[in-house]
Amino acid sequence: MSDVQPQPADATDPDDRASAAYLIDEALAYLYPAALRAAAVVGVADHLAEGPRTPAELASRTGTDPAYLHRVLRLLATRGLFAEDGAGAFRLTAAGSALRSDAPLSVRAAVLMITDRSRWLPAGEMDRCLREGRSAFDAIFGMPFFDHFARDAATAAVFHDGMAAMSDPEDQPIADAYDFPEHGVVVDVGGGHGGLLRAALRGRPGLHGVLYDREHVLAGHRLESPDLAGRWRPVEGDFFASVPDGAEIYMMKRITHDWDDEHCVTLLRNCRRAMAPDGRVLVMDAVIPPGDARHQAKALDLMMMASLAGRERTASEFAALFAEAGLRLDRILDTPTVLSIVEAVAAD
């Protein structure tokens, strides 16, 4: 009689196999933004504006290695950003067109900001956030996020240029989603280069604006337009200390998500003290919806967690912030973008 025992059939549950394969694929997903960053850094899309080119032609124009460049483009083609033809040439697709530097709404600078090492490295150490209950940025760079930018002009430029590029496609749809008054003053708190303020003022000749930010940020404003002449002014300051007095509207876009609750309450209280009697505060941020559905706010929230002290918030969390600052959440308006307009009025 043989001592060899029959081997049992593989009893692995098909669902277990599917889970294993799915998780491996998910773990590899970080290579897509890595490839996207590489393509953005070397400016591949700019060299495809006039039509398809081979990797060798693109490599000659971008100062890269053709074989390695081909491998990056091949992966990005699986996401529909480029397409390879039968002759081995790549073309830029409609989905990838905004990667061109000269595209009407170019997001190349935004891609470079989102994938910059100041965001990438903390994301890679997110487990530190879980263990320590704070951002991983400080431990990696030796100081908080905005302190690092204050000392590193090159990184600060990446951030501000990237934020402007990220905001450009959003500004007009957001401004159009809100019924701004025809007259009065709107203060864009932490308004950066002024894209949202420009969108709010256009078409409303009786409305005036204040672009409020740090001096070095205001220097890059883009409000020199004939239709805005005499209708806006820059004001330099620290919004945690104060904001300009007497306006009807105080708006802040992608600002509160940078900060913890304590800092947000300070900022909102400053707006409450400064606003006109019938004034309103508009927070333009992503609002995390309930449930398990995909939403960009949930990804943005982890980027904030890894690099800053801030967070994306739910409607109830916004309501709590407002209440502590002497405000009352009045309504939340959806926009065609990932951001909502969270509107608050005086609580008393």
Side-chain angles (χ1 to χ4, degrees):
M1 182 174 180
S2 172
D3 291 332
V4 178
Q5 299 296 317
Q7 296 297 313
D10 186 350
T12 304
D13 189 316
D15 287 344
D16 291 337
R17 291 184 180 276
S19 174
Y22 174 76
L23 292 174
I24 293 298
D25 201 39
E26 287 291 288
L28 288 168
Y30 76 96
L31 294 167
Y32 292 104
L36 177 58
R37 175 176 178 79
V41 167
V42 301
V44 169
D46 290 352
H47 298 286
L48 293 176
E50 297 177 358
R53 297 187 188 279
T54 66
E57 292 170 329
L58 288 169
S60 175
R61 290 168 176 261
T62 59
T64 58
D65 182 279
Y68 280 70
L69 180 60
H70 176 262
R71 292 160 71 177
V72 166
L73 295 175
R74 181 172 60 191
L75 179 63
L76 293 175
T78 68
R79 291 294 180 101
L81 304 184
F82 302 95
E84 186 176 10
D85 64 23
F90 285 86
R91 65 175 174 84
L92 187 64
T93 67
S97 63
L99 195 58
R100 284 172 36 208
S101 300
D102 62 349
L105 291 173
S106 173
V107 296
R108 182 184 177 221
V111 168
L112 294 175
M113 176 199 68
I114 293 169
T115 60
D116 184 74
R117 65 191 302 270
S118 62
R119 303 298 181 102
W120 191 275
L121 296 182
E125 297 193 25
M126 197 172 292
D127 56 300
R128 184 192 294 270
C129 302
L130 303 184
R131 290 194 306 269
E132 300 177 0
R134 59 182 178 179
S135 162
F137 190 96
D138 299 28
I140 296 171
F141 291 93
M143 64 190 73
F145 187 84
F146 287 111
D147 290 352
H148 175 66
F149 281 8
R151 298 187 183 191
D152 188 330
T155 302
V158 168
F159 176 76
H160 293 301
D161 290 346
M163 284 304 301
M166 194 170 178
S167 292
D168 282 347
E170 304 169 334
D171 289 334
Q172 197 63 57
I174 290 174
D176 291 344
Y178 187 76
D179 186 20
F180 284 94
E182 292 298 322
H183 300 275
V185 177
V186 56
V187 178
D188 194 354
V189 180
H193 292 168
L196 179 61
L197 183 60
R198 178 179 57 196
L201 294 180
R202 281 185 168 163
R204 301 177 178 90
L207 189 63
H208 288 69
V210 174
L211 184 62
Y212 185 62
D213 214 315
R214 297 287 193 177
E215 183 178 11
H216 69 278
V217 180
L218 294 174
H221 78 79
R222 296 176 295 158
L223 291 168
E224 292 296 348
S225 177
D227 61 324
L228 303 182
R231 295 177 49 214
W232 75 279
R233 61 190 176 94
V235 176
E236 185 273 332
D238 175 3
F239 52 54
F240 290 126
S242 66
V243 297
D245 287 333
E248 284 72 23
I249 299 288
Y250 289 83
M251 61 183 184
M252 54 205 83
K253 177 167 170 276
R254 294 191 185 273
I255 298 297
T256 60
H257 77 159
D258 287 342
W259 302 98
D260 59 24
D261 289 356
E262 181 181 358
H263 281 85
C264 286
V265 169
T266 297
L267 168 56
L268 292 169
R269 278 179 180 156
N270 289 339
C271 294
R272 171 65 184 91
R273 292 189 193 101
M275 69 187 194
D278 295 327
R280 293 180 176 265
V281 174
L282 309 181
V283 172
M284 287 96 161
D285 260 328
V287 178
I288 298 177
D292 296 336
R294 288 191 178 189
H295 195 279
Q296 192 183 101
K298 297 174 183 178
L300 289 171
D301 183 49
L302 293 195
M303 185 169 71
M304 296 298 106
M305 184 177 80
S307 290
L308 293 113
R311 60 186 300 183
E312 306 300 336
R313 293 177 171 88
T314 64
S316 61
E317 288 168 339
F318 275 115
L321 284 183
F322 289 145
E324 194 170 347
L327 296 163
R328 173 176 56 81
L329 194 158
D330 191 44
R331 57 179 175 160
I332 297 178
L333 301 174
D334 292 332
T335 78
T337 76
V338 70
L339 304 186
S340 297
I341 301 173
V342 188
E343 183 182 49
V345 297
D348 47 27

